[in-house]
Amino acid sequence: MSLLQLQNVSKSFGETAIIRDVSLSIAQGEKHAIIGPNGAGKSTLFNLISGRYGVSSGNILFKGNPIHNLKPFEIARMGLARSFQVTNIFPLLSVFENIRCGLLWSMDYRYSFWNLVSRQKALNARTEAVLEEIGLHDRRNFPAGELAYAEQRALELGIAIASGAEMILLDEPVAGMSHSEAKNAVALIRKVTEGKTLVMVEHDMSIVFDVADRITVLVYGEVIASDVPAKIRGNPRVQEAYLGEVVTGDGVEATHA
Amino acid sequence: MLRKSIVWIVFAIVLLVLPQIFTSIFSISIFTQMTIAIVFALSYNMLLGQGGMLSFGHAVYFGLGGFLAVHALMMIENEEMMFSVTLIPLVGGLFGLIAALFIGSFSTHKAGTVFAMISLGMGELIAASSLILVSFFGGEAGVSGDRTYGPPFFGYDFAQGIEVYYLAAAWMFVATLCMYLFTQTPAGRMANAVRDNPERAEFIGYSARRVRFISFAMAGFFAGIAGGLFAVNYEILTEENLNAASSGRVLLMAYIGGLGFFIGPIVGAIVLTLINSLLSNYTTLWMLYLGILFVLTVMFLPRGLTGFLMMHRVPWHLGKLRLLAVPYTLTSMPGAVFLLGLVAMIEMSHASGSEFVYLGIALNPDGYGSWAFLLAVTGVAFYVLRLTLPRLRDAWSEANTITRKPDHAAKESGGQS
Ligand SMILES: Nc1ncnc2c1ncn2[C@@H]1O[C@H](COP(=O)(O)OP(=O)(O)O)[C@@H](O)[C@H]1O
Ligand SMILES: [Mg+2]
C-alpha cells in the first residue's frame, strides 16, 4: 500500500501554474528520487506535501489520511520529516541544541515545562548519536550559524533525520558539497533511511541511480515519467527533456545545475 | 551541576548578607527596588531575549498584578479575606497570568512587527481604561493599601523596610530560579528555537504560535509577581505602573543588561535601579543620561553590558587578560574626562542663575570663559582618547589570538540562551 499519495495536485502562484495535475504514489519503504530541471517545481512539490503551502486543487494522502489542509507541525507529528534546499536551521542555538530540538516532539516531550532537558538521558544520548552520525560531534557547542557551509548542510540533514520519522523528504541534500563530502552524505542518508521511506530531490544522476528504487521526472510542473530507474533511462520523453543529454546509470553526463 | 548549584548558593548568600552590610534605610529601599526590577526584567526577557517577541506593553501585566495585589491587601485589611501578606505576590502573579492568557491568545499569532504593534496597542488601551475604570484602578490617584494587616508571618508584620526586603528577596530568588529552570525545559528550549527560526520549528512538530503563547503566559505570570512585590513594597499603584513609560523602562533594563544572557536583565535591573535612585539625587536630567546610555549600548554593545563582560572570556581563558589592563587604564582616563566635560556642558546649559558648581569648580553659565574652558577640556580629552584607541585595539586582538583553541571560542560564543 502506498504511504504517500498525490491525487491530481495543482498549485498556482497567482496566474502561473507551477504544479500541474501531479499524481504520484510512493510505497512504504521505497527510495524515491525526483529529478527535473531547475524551476520544474520539485521544491514546490515538497512544500505542498509538507504543508508549507496549501494546494490549489487535488488531494495529498499520508498513511491514507488527507494532509493537504494540515499545518506543517501537524504533518510533522504524523511522521513526515523534511530538509530544505536552502539551509534552514536555528542559527543562534548550538549544534547540539539544533539536533535536540529536532528530537523533542518525536520523543513525546511536547510543550512540557516540567522536564529539564539536561536530565533526559535517552534524549541526550540520542542527540549525541545523531551528532556522531552526521560527523558534527566536535562542533557540538558552536552556534549553528557559525558553521561552514558543508557543516550546515550536514546539520540540516541531521535535524530532518533526528526524529526517526517514517517518511523523509530531502531537498537536494548534497548540493554544494565536495565529491567526498557528498559520498559520505549519501552513505549516511542510506544508513539512516534504512527501513524508512525516502523521497529525495537530487541532480547528480549517479547518486540518483545509486539510491533510488523509483524515479519521478518533473518538467514544468508536470510528471512526465515515474518508474524504476531502468525504464527511466530508456524513456524518450526523459531524454528529450534533458535536452539530448545522455542519461546513463553509471555516468554523470546529465549534470543539470 | 555542582558548579551551577554553587552559583545559586552564592546568590542566596549575597541576598541574605547585603542588608547586613549596607544597613541604611536608603540602601535597603534600593535593594528592594532592585529585587522587584530583577523579577520584572527577567520576565521581560522571556519575551524578547528568549522568545524573540519585542513587547512595548509588558508593564500591563506588572501593573494589573500590582493593582489586584493592592485590592487583596485592602480585603485583608477589611477582614474579607484572611491570608498572609507573604502570599500577595502570588495573587499578582496569577492575575498577570490570566491577563497574559487572554491577551496572548491573539497577540502571539505572529512575532515581529505585528506582535510589537499589538503589545503597544494593548498597553495604551489598558493604560487608558485604568483612568476610566475608577473603581478598580482608582483614577489618577491610584489605589493604596496597608501591608501590615493579616496574620503575622512568624511574628513579622512587615512594618519595617528590612522585612519587606527579605520577603521580596525570597520571592525574587524563587522566581529567578523558576525562570532559569524554565529555559532548560522543552518549552523553554523551543522558545529559543522559535525565536531563531519559527518556520523550521513547525517542521519539527512545534506550533510556533503555541510556543510563543506559553512563553508569553509565563512572562505575564512573573511580571505579575513583580507587580505584587511592588504593591507590598509601596502599598500604592497608579496608572504610571502600567503605562508605556514603564514598559519602555523594562525594555531598557533587559537591553542594556544584555538580551542573550540569562543574567543580562539582572545586570540591567541593578544598573538602572542604581542610576534611577542615585543619579536622580544629583541631577534632574538623569533620564537624559539613561537615554544616552541606551543609545550607546545599542550602537556599541549590542550584547549589552553582560555581553561586554563575556567578551573577556577568551582573553581570560588564554591567560591574557592582564595585557588589557594598561590599555584600558590609558583609554578610560581621557574617556572619563571627556564624559565629565560633556556632562558639565549639559548640566550648565540646564542650570539656572549665574552660579554653577561642578565637581568643586565654580563655573558661570552666562560667561564665555566657562564655556570655552569646558569646550577646551572636553576637546582635548577627546583628542587624547582617540590617540589611545589604536593601542587598545592592538592589545585586544593580541589578547584574543595565538593560542586560541576551538573549545574556548565555542564557550565564548555559545553563551546564547
Ligand atoms: N512562493 C512562491 N511564489 C511564487 N512563485 C514561486 C514560489 N515558490 C516557487 N515559485 C516558482 O515556482 C517555480 C518552481 O520553483 P521550485 O519548486 O523551487 O523549482 P525546483 O525546486 O524544481 O528548482 C519557479 O519558477 C519559482 O519561481
Ligand atoms: Mg528546488
Side-chain angles (χ1 to χ4, degrees):
Chain A
M1 107 142 213
S2 56
L3 185 62
L4 182 75
Q5 221 173 347
L6 277 69
Q7 301 169 336
N8 311 101
V9 171
S10 296
K11 175 68 181 175
S12 314
F13 290 110
E15 294 289 285
T16 4
I18 301 296
I19 297 295
R20 303 156 197 251
D21 199 30
V22 166
S23 294
L24 193 61
S25 177
I26 291 166
Q28 178 104 44
E30 186 176 318
K31 307 279 181 282
H32 198 108
I34 296 181
I35 62 173
N38 253 339
K42 304 179 297 295
S43 296
T44 303
L45 203 59
F46 272 18
N47 289 335
L48 293 173
I49 297 168
S50 62
R52 197 187 206 181
Y53 301 150
V55 297
S56 299
S57 66
N59 300 317
I60 303 175
L61 306 178
F62 182 55
K63 299 180 185 173
N65 304 307
I67 58 167
H68 48 272
N69 288 323
L70 297 185
K71 303 226 164 66
F73 58 87
E74 294 169 315
I75 297 170
R77 289 172 196 174
M78 294 172 73
L80 192 151
R82 68 164 295 184
S83 75
F84 292 80
Q85 181 178 356
V86 178
T87 303
N88 203 350
I89 56 182
F90 304 108
L92 296 181
L93 298 190
S94 70
V95 170
F96 183 86
E97 289 278 4
N98 268 267
I99 298 295
R100 189 162 64 183
C101 284
L103 278 164
L104 284 173
W105 192 277
S106 65
M107 293 186 75
D108 227 18
Y109 287 102
R110 296 166 176 263
Y111 299 101
S112 80
F113 45 85
W114 47 88
N115 296 303
L116 293 177
V117 284
S118 59
R119 298 272 179 89
Q120 311 305 315
K121 290 218 173 67
L123 173 67
N124 293 310
R126 176 90 187 98
T127 308
E128 297 286 355
V130 174
L131 283 178
E132 199 77 61
E133 273 178 337
I134 60 175
L136 289 181
H137 205 264
D138 59 339
R139 283 284 193 261
R140 61 202 303 286
N141 292 327
F142 275 76
E146 289 181 13
L147 295 184
Y149 176 78
E151 292 172 325
Q152 290 195 353
R153 292 306 296 167
L155 182 61
E156 173 72 41
L157 179 62
I159 298 171
I161 60 159
S163 67
E166 265 175 81
M167 178 165 231
I168 298 171
L169 314 183
L170 302 178
D171 197 349
E172 304 199 19
V174 305
M177 287 190 187
S178 73
H179 190 69
S180 66
E181 284 166 346
K183 229 177 108 190
N184 290 338
V186 170
L188 170 63
I189 290 167
R190 217 192 258 289
K191 184 171 149 220
V192 297
T193 57
E194 203 161 310
K196 307 232 155 77
T197 311
L198 171 71
V199 187
M200 182 166 80
V201 172
E202 185 48 59
H203 283 300
D204 186 325
M205 289 305 153
S206 64
I207 294 176
V208 168
F209 283 101
D210 186 26
V211 173
D213 304 327
R214 290 174 67 85
I215 298 171
T216 291
V217 185
L218 196 68
V219 177
Y220 292 123
E222 276 178 290
V223 172
I224 61 166
S226 184
D227 216 326
V228 295
K231 292 264 182 65
I232 292 292
R233 211 172 290 153
N235 186 315
R237 285 190 70 192
V238 177
Q239 301 279 359
E240 186 191 338
Y242 271 78
L243 298 167
E245 288 170 76
V246 186
V247 182
T248 64
D250 40 32
V252 285
E253 284 91 321
T255 47
H256 273 265
Chain B
M1 203 64 229
L2 184 70
R3 238 186 76 205
K4 288 208 168 134
S5 316
I6 289 174
V7 171
W8 289 99
I9 291 167
V10 170
F11 183 35
I13 292 173
V14 168
L15 291 177
L16 284 172
V17 171
L18 215 48
Q20 308 298 335
I21 300 172
F22 303 93
T23 52
S24 75
I25 291 179
F26 178 64
S27 46
I28 287 171
S29 138
I30 288 182
F31 294 148
T32 309
Q33 289 173 44
M34 275 180 193
T35 59
I36 297 169
I38 287 171
V39 176
F40 191 25
L42 282 172
S43 80
Y44 184 78
N45 207 38
M46 295 178 100
L47 297 178
L48 184 52
Q50 288 152 26
M53 289 172 270
L54 173 60
S55 169
F56 294 116
H58 197 49
V60 163
Y61 310 95
F62 177 95
L64 288 179
F67 272 101
L68 197 77
V70 172
H71 283 282
L73 284 176
M74 288 197 271
M75 289 170 94
I76 293 173
E77 184 178 345
N78 298 335
E79 300 191 341
E80 291 158 346
M81 271 197 304
M82 275 307 274
F83 63 86
S84 167
V85 168
T86 55
L87 295 177
I88 287 290
L90 188 61
V91 173
L94 291 176
F95 198 52
L97 174 65
I98 290 167
L101 288 174
F102 174 66
I103 295 174
S105 66
F106 55 86
S107 76
T108 55
H109 283 206
K110 292 251 159 62
T113 316
V114 177
F115 175 86
M117 290 305 119
I118 294 177
S119 76
L120 189 63
M122 287 311 296
E124 287 300 317
L125 189 146
I126 292 189
S129 16
S130 80
L131 294 173
I132 299 164
L133 300 171
V134 178
S135 60
F136 185 77
F137 294 102
E140 300 268 359
V143 291
S144 49
D146 187 329
R147 61 173 178 249
T148 57
Y149 289 90
F153 182 76
F154 294 105
Y156 296 112
D157 64 359
F158 301 102
Q160 291 185 26
I162 182 104
E163 295 167 0
V164 175
Y165 165 77
Y166 278 116
L167 176 64
W171 270 101
M172 185 270 270
F173 183 81
V174 173
T176 302
L177 186 59
C178 289
M179 283 187 267
Y180 175 72
L181 291 177
F182 175 76
T183 66
Q184 304 301 310
T185 64
R189 300 321 301 149
M190 284 311 297
N192 287 178
V194 167
R195 168 201 67 196
D196 276 16
N197 190 344
E199 182 179 57
R200 185 59 187 255
E202 302 243 325
F203 289 96
I204 55 175
Y206 282 87
S207 154
R209 204 170 119 181
R210 188 75 173 273
V211 170
R212 280 193 290 263
F213 178 63
I214 292 170
S215 292
F216 191 84
M218 291 282 177
F221 176 68
F222 288 106
I225 287 185
L229 288 171
F230 184 95
V232 173
N233 187 36
Y234 291 97
E235 301 175 301
I236 181 169
L237 261 102
T238 63
E239 183 264 350
E240 231 175 67
N241 299 119
L242 47 66
N243 67 15
S246 291
S247 296
R249 208 146 42 232
V250 74
L251 192 165
L252 292 193
M253 281 185 197
Y255 201 102
I256 289 174
L259 301 172
F261 305 90
F262 183 78
I263 64 159
I266 300 181
V267 173
I270 293 172
V271 170
L272 259 68
T273 308
L274 285 176
I275 290 180
N276 188 341
S277 32
L278 297 181
L279 218 52
S280 60
N281 287 340
Y282 296 104
T283 170
T284 49
L285 297 177
W286 66 274
M287 289 277 273
L288 175 70
Y289 300 120
L290 183 57
I292 293 172
L293 177 64
F294 179 62
V295 173
L296 290 178
T297 308
V298 172
M299 285 172 60
F300 298 111
L301 302 173
R303 308 211 303 157
L305 298 176
T306 314
F308 176 69
L309 294 178
M310 293 293 178
M311 272 164 59
H312 296 82
R313 281 169 72 165
V314 173
W316 188 66
H317 280 295
L318 299 180
K320 289 180 159 187
L321 212 47
R322 71 202 140 70
L323 289 184
L324 295 169
V326 173
Y328 268 163
T329 316
L330 287 181
T331 300
S332 57
M333 283 188 308
V337 175
F338 172 68
L339 285 180
L340 287 173
L342 272 188
V343 169
M345 287 192 277
I346 293 169
E347 291 290 330
M348 196 160 80
S349 60
H350 181 67
S352 51
S354 58
E355 287 259 319
F356 173 66
V357 180
Y358 181 77
L359 299 173
I361 306 166
L363 297 165
N364 179 8
D366 294 332
Y368 291 112
S370 294
W371 283 103
F373 169 68
L374 285 179
L375 271 174
V377 169
T378 312
V380 170
F382 183 67
Y383 181 71
V384 177
L385 177 67
R386 300 250 333 230
L387 288 183
T388 66
L389 287 182
R391 177 158 180 194
L392 179 60
R393 224 172 275 135
D394 290 347
W396 179 255
S397 65
E398 169 60 23
N400 279 283
T401 39
I402 298 186
T403 42
R404 181 169 185 168
K405 291 179 196 153
D407 58 333
H408 291 142
K411 268 179 202 153
E412 196 272 330
S413 42
Q416 284 288 349
S417 60

